[in-house]
Amino acid sequence: YALVFFIVTALVAMPSIAPYPLFAITLLANFICGVVGSIMNGGMFAMTGMLPSSYTAAIMNGQAAAGLIVALV
């Protein structure tokens, strides 16, 4: 994540880049981060699936809390 966001931030700071390529790069970066996050989320649920159900509930509650915090900020 950090590398993708660093590259996009560096491109935004460059005054010579055209708006449309920058927009396309930003969309591509968001797509890549979304795919990586989904894979990580799926792996997390797969690993907690092997544990008791209280662990899965804790993961789901944590994701709900994170979504609520992001929505409020």
Side-chain angles (χ1 to χ4, degrees):
Y1 288 142
L3 181 63
V4 172
F5 284 122
F6 174 76
I7 291 171
V8 171
T9 304
L11 289 174
V12 169
M14 294 175 48
S16 62
I17 191 164
Y20 290 116
L22 179 63
F23 183 67
I25 291 169
T26 304
L27 286 180
L28 180 65
N30 283 330
F31 175 76
I32 290 170
C33 288
V35 167
V36 170
S38 297
I39 291 170
M40 190 171 61
N41 192 9
M44 206 167 43
F45 272 105
M47 290 182 70
T48 57
M50 295 183 282
L51 300 171
S53 62
S54 62
Y55 289 92
T56 305
I59 293 290
M60 293 176 77
N61 287 333
Q63 287 186 338
L68 182 65
I69 290 169
V70 168
L72 292 176
V73 172

